Amino acid sequence: VVARSGAEALDRTDPLSAFRDRYVFPDDTIALDGNSLGRLPRDTLTRLERVVERQWAGGLVRSWDDWLDLPRRVGDLIGGALLGAEPGEVIVADSTTVNLHKLAAAALRAGGRDRPVVVTDRGNFPTDRYVLEALGPVRWVDEPGIGALGDDVGLVAFSHVDYRTGAVADLAGITAAAHAAGARVLWDLSHSVGVVPVDLAAHEVDLAVGATYKYLCGGPGSPALAYVRRDLIEVLRSPIPGWFGHRDPFLMGPAYEPADDIRRFLAGTPTVLALACVEEGARVLADAGLEKVREKVMGLTSFAVALADAWLVPLGFTVASPRAARRRGAHVALVHPRAEVVCRALVDVGVVTDFRHPDTLRLGLAPLSTRYVDVWDALDRVRTIGRGLS
Amino acid sequence: VVARSGAEALDRTDPLSAFRDRYVFPDDTIALDGNSLGRLPRDTLTRLERVVERQWAGGLVRSWDDWLDLPRRVGDLIGGALLGAEPGEVIVADSTTVNLHKLAAAALRAGGRDRPVVVTDRGNFPTDRYVLEALGPVRWVDEPGIGALGDDVGLVAFSHVDYRTGAVADLAGITAAAHAAGARVLWDLSHSVGVVPVDLAAHEVDLAVGATYKYLCGGPGSPALAYVRRDLIEVLRSPIPGWFGHRDPFLMGPAYEPADDIRRFLAGTPTVLALACVEEGARVLADAGLEKVREKVMGLTSFAVALADAWLVPLGFTVASPRAARRRGAHVALVHPRAEVVCRALVDVGVVTDFRHPDTLRLGLAPLSTRYVDVWDALDRVRTIGRGLS
């Protein structure tokens, strides 16, 4: 097993170590909740000051000249740097839930009456399951993956990275299989965007949604991304045709005419303050480069798994995440019957993780703000707490 | 006609004049765009600092203990102080467009197949028209008001205050007539909340939505309000059953079980920064008291109409707003064939108004941040520009 000096050595050779300075650390707390709420980027503070004091208070309504394009501009930044999407294929607006509803409803409607069925897995994130169930009959599978698809299936919808275990689904294989069966595919990228390569264009993914408050560090409840592949855009109509999805919102004409790019999936007025924060958060990842970020993610999670194997498995913990680094997102799940107690005790020793009912402790290792020594120190404290439990 | 000293005198006796200090004025610009984007409240600056630096950066994911309740807490504040609603009947989340979709779809579904028709007016705000048209057959009327309603009508939906003219619709009469015909009523309060009394309980209004970035000063694109009358809540189901509408979002169980209050109309994770801003903006109005605010609104708009009659009508302008103060919201509409040119020229002389295609200049007189001298100075400058046009 590695001594703390080993972790320090890994940090010294980390090519992304300087990016840590781009986040705010008000105290020594070790935040391993990047899978839930990413750290505050420094640039977000100056950007918010500009948006609030200069643009809102100073520019007043005139600032909409700059704001109007934000949902697409931030979408293009994320789409280009992190998703392999073309300009005009990604927007950031509304919540993941609302975007999922809009895209899934549109795809099912376009698929026609003969294909009303949605395929998803019982372990999918709750909001995904609830929203999909409200749209049509659901064929449940145990985990992301499809066998023989009936020709009544219009939509296949999975999460790219499992919110509990961090397991990466076979996006390429599932997408190809669904297409072969004549169904559309929607991926929820909430736990992969920014930490796992997602080449939407290369795999001809139809639809995607995802949260921006996790690894993209957009802040609590920041608006979500929505992606539709270019050639599908004009085939699909949003079930919520709001004025911001109109080709000219300020024409205010009698008939709804959808925008000719992904903006047709905008609904109401976008939340400017939160969108500006998403732009700043995403830019830090874009500056670092997804390839290096992915290397760091695999390095951090592998380090956490190795320490867990050595220190925590003997104490009754189980590593619930995949063993192969390439098959993991950026969080590591540790299962223990008393995980909730451990999660609470960790807060008292300065480590913030999160707990998922009934027995899972998640360590979200945001690649740019987490050091190897943070992982070492955190797991060392889990070990101390674990010893006290047995 | 009134001299500028008359305006100064009105300001001296204004019982709400001290509330002006609660907003930020970075320069001498006269902002008459309160109907579009309300001013930045001072308290919003300190609140944002707390939310961003202390709660997000410092508290990290633990801050959700405080944030979780925000949509309902801010809703109760607005509902109690400004809408005559009971606790648990109002939330703030998502956009006006998305809330309109959720509530209208839910009401139509509950109304059953025999009542698919929506009644609205051709002059309703575009997003309202587009969203309603996507939900069912629309029976168009020329303005808010209903004659004999067929028994196929499930929903009657109007704006309480017209976004162009500022005219106040007959909320009490229309609601009662719709109920007598067995239909539900949905009011869009975007241009009335905070400046016109809206006693939702007294008139037994079924549903309401509204923007918070206008008179509530929640900031650009801040999340919208949604109201459902208490006894209707358990009858209605959101078409977008997201995890935040679940009775226990973190239970993450297999089945969607809606919350037993208005929170069942939440969808995804709410936007915390923007919600906090809405709370601060609404509190200023709540502190001033709606009765006094309404008096000031009527005073300001009457003053503007009097000056327009004296100075601008001779120059070819028409006052498009109702003559009676009680029949007006907080903006005054001036129609002129060259209104767009006037709107642009006003910016150059330090007056921000807004223009609505094709010929309407709107003066939004936010009651707590606008003085009578601001109205005098602004209309004086419109007069100067108007003279140059003729």
Side-chain angles (χ1 to χ4, degrees):
Chain A
V1 190
V2 176
R4 194 173 190 277
S5 60
E8 288 165 349
L10 287 167
D11 286 322
R12 274 194 300 274
T13 56
D14 172 12
L16 297 178
S17 59
F19 279 89
R20 189 171 149 86
D21 294 337
R22 294 188 59 176
Y23 298 89
V24 175
F25 301 89
D27 56 39
D28 291 340
T29 302
I30 300 174
L32 300 190
D33 59 348
N35 56 310
S36 181
L37 176 64
R39 282 274 191 193
L40 170 65
R42 276 186 196 287
D43 289 345
T44 300
L45 288 170
T46 46
R47 176 67 178 273
L48 268 177
E49 202 176 300
R50 193 185 131 220
V51 170
V52 173
E53 301 191 38
R54 202 174 334 156
Q55 294 192 307
W56 173 7
L60 303 161
V61 76
R62 292 166 290 184
S63 299
W64 274 107
D65 290 348
D66 176 55
W67 296 335
L68 207 56
D69 194 38
L70 266 178
R72 183 181 145 154
R73 195 166 79 218
V74 183
D76 283 348
L77 169 66
I78 295 170
L82 307 174
L83 301 178
E86 300 293 322
E89 289 186 330
V90 179
I91 40 166
V92 176
D94 297 319
S95 64
T96 309
T97 299
V98 169
N99 286 341
L100 180 76
H101 172 85
K102 288 186 291 192
L103 300 194
L108 285 168
R109 188 180 304 178
R113 285 173 191 217
D114 296 339
R115 291 183 170 275
V117 175
V118 180
V119 172
T120 192
D121 62 305
R122 288 185 190 86
N124 205 347
F125 190 74
T127 215
D128 299 60
R129 290 189 274 107
Y130 305 152
V131 166
L132 294 170
E133 246 186 325
L135 290 174
V138 171
R139 193 156 303 148
W140 297 101
V141 293
D142 283 333
E143 54 183 36
I146 48 178
L149 273 191
D151 58 10
D152 56 353
V153 175
L155 185 69
V156 171
F158 295 117
S159 289
H160 187 204
V161 167
D162 187 287
Y163 76 102
R164 295 150 313 167
T165 65
V168 180
D170 177 14
L171 183 140
I174 291 170
T175 301
H179 285 172
R184 304 282 185 207
V185 185
L186 187 157
W187 287 99
D188 184 336
L189 310 174
S190 292
H191 286 270
S192 62
V193 58
V195 292
V196 178
V198 187
D199 199 338
L200 295 171
H203 302 300
E204 297 186 334
V205 168
D206 302 294
L207 311 159
V209 298
T212 65
Y213 47 77
K214 300 174 185 292
Y215 303 110
L216 298 187
C217 298
S222 58
L225 67 91
Y227 157 89
V228 178
R229 200 183 60 235
R230 165 53 69 185
D231 62 289
L232 254 186
I233 289 173
E234 63 180 28
V235 179
L236 301 186
R237 297 282 292 233
S238 173
I240 311 178
W243 68 318
F244 267 75
H246 195 283
R247 68 172 176 78
D248 181 356
F250 295 96
L251 186 70
M252 301 192 161
Y256 179 74
E257 298 168 57
D260 62 4
D261 65 12
I262 181 69
R263 283 175 289 194
R264 68 172 53 192
F265 281 98
L266 293 173
T269 313
T271 307
V272 170
L273 271 63
L275 261 172
C277 293
V278 177
E279 191 166 27
E280 296 306 328
R283 193 176 287 134
V284 186
L285 279 164
D287 288 351
L290 187 55
E291 217 169 306
K292 279 188 194 156
V293 167
R294 179 59 181 158
E295 286 300 317
K296 175 91 182 273
V297 164
M298 293 194 293
L300 286 171
T301 57
S302 297
F303 190 60
V305 168
L307 294 179
D309 281 344
W311 295 345
L312 305 179
V313 170
L315 297 173
F317 288 83
T318 311
V319 177
S321 300
R323 309 294 312 174
R326 304 203 72 82
R327 294 267 296 119
R328 285 192 302 258
H331 73 270
V332 170
L334 301 175
V335 169
H336 189 283
R338 301 186 66 191
E340 190 166 14
V341 173
V342 176
C343 183
R344 276 203 302 266
L346 278 168
V347 169
D348 297 333
V349 292
V351 179
V352 176
T353 62
D354 90 3
F355 165 74
R356 276 293 171 257
H357 188 80
D359 57 8
T360 303
L361 188 72
R362 297 189 301 179
L363 314 177
L365 310 176
L368 300 180
S369 55
T370 308
R371 296 169 302 191
Y372 287 90
V373 287
D374 295 326
V375 175
W376 198 97
D377 288 342
L379 288 180
D380 181 48
R381 293 174 206 175
V382 177
R383 170 167 62 163
T384 304
I385 292 163
R387 278 177 184 149
L389 291 175
S390 49
Chain B
V1 190
V2 177
R4 193 173 192 279
S5 59
E8 288 165 349
L10 287 167
D11 285 323
R12 276 194 300 273
T13 57
D14 171 13
L16 298 178
S17 60
F19 279 89
R20 190 171 149 85
D21 295 338
R22 294 186 61 175
Y23 299 88
V24 175
F25 300 91
D27 56 39
D28 291 340
T29 302
I30 299 174
L32 300 190
D33 60 348
N35 56 311
S36 181
L37 176 63
R39 282 275 190 193
L40 170 65
R42 278 187 195 287
D43 289 345
T44 301
L45 288 171
T46 45
R47 176 67 178 274
L48 267 177
E49 201 175 302
R50 191 184 132 221
V51 170
V52 173
E53 300 190 37
R54 200 171 340 151
Q55 294 191 308
W56 174 7
L60 303 161
V61 76
R62 292 166 289 183
S63 298
W64 273 106
D65 290 349
D66 176 56
W67 296 335
L68 208 55
D69 194 38
L70 266 178
R72 184 182 144 152
R73 196 165 79 218
V74 184
D76 283 347
L77 169 65
I78 294 170
L82 307 173
L83 301 178
E86 301 293 322
E89 289 186 330
V90 179
I91 40 166
V92 177
D94 296 320
S95 63
T96 309
T97 299
V98 169
N99 286 341
L100 180 75
H101 171 86
K102 287 185 293 193
L103 299 194
L108 284 167
R109 189 181 302 179
R113 285 174 193 216
D114 297 338
R115 290 184 171 273
V117 175
V118 180
V119 173
T120 192
D121 63 304
R122 289 185 189 87
N124 205 347
F125 190 75
T127 217
D128 300 60
R129 291 189 273 110
Y130 305 152
V131 165
L132 294 170
E133 246 186 324
L135 291 173
V138 171
R139 194 156 302 151
W140 297 101
V141 294
D142 283 333
E143 54 185 35
I146 49 178
L149 273 190
D151 59 10
D152 55 352
V153 175
L155 185 68
V156 172
F158 294 117
S159 288
H160 187 205
V161 167
D162 187 287
Y163 76 103
R164 295 151 313 167
T165 65
V168 180
D170 177 14
L171 183 141
I174 291 169
T175 301
H179 285 171
R184 303 284 186 207
V185 185
L186 186 157
W187 287 99
D188 184 335
L189 309 175
S190 293
H191 287 270
S192 61
V193 58
V195 290
V196 178
V198 187
D199 199 339
L200 295 171
H203 302 301
E204 298 187 334
V205 168
D206 302 295
L207 312 158
V209 298
T212 64
Y213 48 77
K214 300 174 185 294
Y215 303 110
L216 297 186
C217 298
S222 58
L225 67 92
Y227 157 90
V228 178
R229 200 184 59 236
R230 164 53 67 188
D231 62 290
L232 254 186
I233 288 173
E234 62 180 28
V235 179
L236 302 185
R237 298 283 291 233
S238 172
I240 312 178
W243 69 319
F244 267 75
H246 195 283
R247 67 173 177 80
D248 181 357
F250 295 96
L251 187 70
M252 300 191 162
Y256 179 73
E257 298 168 56
D260 62 6
D261 65 11
I262 181 68
R263 282 176 291 194
R264 66 172 54 191
F265 280 98
L266 293 173
T269 313
T271 307
V272 170
L273 272 61
L275 262 171
C277 293
V278 177
E279 191 166 27
E280 296 306 328
R283 193 176 288 132
V284 186
L285 280 163
D287 288 351
L290 187 55
E291 217 169 307
K292 279 188 195 155
V293 167
R294 180 59 182 158
E295 286 299 319
K296 175 92 183 274
V297 165
M298 293 195 293
L300 286 170
T301 58
S302 297
F303 190 60
V305 168
L307 294 178
D309 281 344
W311 295 345
L312 304 178
V313 170
L315 297 173
F317 288 84
T318 310
V319 176
S321 299
R323 308 293 317 175
R326 304 202 74 82
R327 294 268 295 120
R328 284 191 304 258
H331 73 272
V332 170
L334 301 175
V335 168
H336 188 283
R338 301 184 68 190
E340 189 166 13
V341 172
V342 176
C343 183
R344 276 203 301 267
L346 279 168
V347 170
D348 295 335
V349 293
V351 179
V352 176
T353 62
D354 90 1
F355 165 74
R356 276 293 170 258
H357 187 80
D359 57 8
T360 302
L361 188 71
R362 297 188 301 180
L363 314 177
L365 310 178
L368 300 180
S369 55
T370 308
R371 297 167 302 190
Y372 286 91
V373 288
D374 296 326
V375 175
W376 198 97
D377 289 342
L379 288 180
D380 181 47
R381 292 174 207 176
V382 177
R383 171 167 62 160
T384 303
I385 293 163
R387 278 178 184 150
L389 291 176
S390 47

